[in-house]
Amino acid sequence: ETGVTQSPTHLIKTRGQQVTLRCSSQSGHNTVSWYQQALGQGPQFIFQYYREEENGRGNFPPRFSGLQFPNYSSELNVNALELDDSALYLCASSLAARQETQYFGPGTRLLVL
Amino acid sequence: DQQVKQNSPSLSVQEGRISILNCDYTNSMFDYFLWYKKYPAEGPTFLISISSIKDKNEDGRFTVFLNKSAKHLSLHIVPSQPGDSAVYFCAGRPTGNQFYFGTGTSLTVIP
């Protein structure tokens, strides 16, 4: 059974640029959630995708957007990057019927200069 | 708005003793709580959960207690082992699918 994988592991961008982060969910999981974890903070929910549709969103502006593909992998896109977007971005997959238990990937560390 | 709070950033415990990690929440609509463990350079790993209809859930060395009137939950690890050294996050969910995480407590188990 393959776990949740994320790419890239690290990324450096400059303010105003756009970034795409990728996530492959655990085998058989059709739900993916994205989180932002700033330094010294807990993960903050960005949004969730279920069967290729957005299925809930946290308090993040529209420049944070996502996609889920038929194979349940997912992308997080962030436009017009700001310095405060520097964080660890985590994705988590789950079976929709048991979404209490989420399995997290190792994260992508984004630095915005 | 921090709906889940872990007021102790760090905790040190001797191997073999009990570790107690605490978590407070403000949202009375939370119906499910989880604890995650996180090692450096890894994503959080699910540890144990509890539904709001229960006040205790046990899994091996790990027990979570929920006090709804006090809006407080705690994770007990007995006996503590050096491999338990990690950052522990608690999370709560109101009806829906958004989890709110605390800021974490770094546990160090001293051999």
Side-chain angles (χ1 to χ4, degrees), chain B:
Chain B
D1 178 26
Q2 193 71 28
Q3 299 197 33
V4 177
K5 297 180 183 178
Q6 294 177 257
N7 292 318
S8 297
S10 62
L11 176 68
S12 291
V13 171
Q14 286 290 131
E15 181 178 3
R17 305 293 292 267
I18 183 171
S19 295
I20 300 176
L21 295 95
N22 294 303
C23 181
D24 297 297
Y25 62 97
T26 57
N27 190 337
S28 58
M29 297 301 292
F30 281 174
D31 69 347
Y32 209 84
F33 301 89
L34 302 93
W35 283 93
Y36 280 88
K37 179 169 73 172
K38 186 179 187 302
Y39 293 117
E42 295 183 12
T45 303
F46 170 75
L47 195 56
I48 192 169
S49 63
I50 188 166
S51 164
S52 62
I53 63 173
K54 296 186 174 181
D55 55 18
K56 176 182 174 182
N57 188 26
E58 191 171 353
D59 183 2
R61 297 186 297 115
F62 302 91
T63 303
V64 56
F65 295 92
L66 175 62
N67 182 334
K68 286 199 326 185
S69 62
K71 294 192 179 70
H72 177 84
L73 64 156
S74 60
L75 174 67
H76 292 209
I77 306 174
V78 182
S80 301
Q81 299 173 353
D84 297 329
S85 297
V87 177
Y88 289 78
F89 292 98
C90 70
R93 185 192 69 183
T95 53
N97 57 5
Q98 178 171 348
F99 280 97
Y100 293 84
F101 282 77
T103 53
T105 296
S106 178
L107 173 67
T108 302
V109 180
I110 304 164

Side-chain angles (χ1 to χ4, degrees), chain A residues 29-96:
Chain A
H29 287 187
N30 58 16
T31 303
V32 173
S33 301
W34 285 92
Y35 292 84
Q36 180 195 66
Q37 186 178 8
L39 203 59
Q41 301 296 314
Q44 276 199 292
F45 177 76
I46 303 175
F47 43 56
Q48 180 185 86
Y49 276 82
Y50 170 64
R51 292 186 176 178
E52 303 177 58
E53 299 277 339
E54 188 177 292
N55 185 41
R57 188 180 184 93
N59 189 25
F60 280 81
R63 60 189 185 84
F64 285 78
S65 63
L67 281 174
Q68 188 180 32
F69 301 99
N71 66 355
Y72 303 133
S73 65
S74 177
E75 285 182 356
L76 164 66
N77 299 289
V78 187
N79 294 321
L81 283 166
E82 301 176 0
L83 298 180
D84 285 348
D85 296 333
S86 297
L88 179 69
Y89 288 85
L90 295 161
C91 84
S93 75
S94 57
L95 292 170

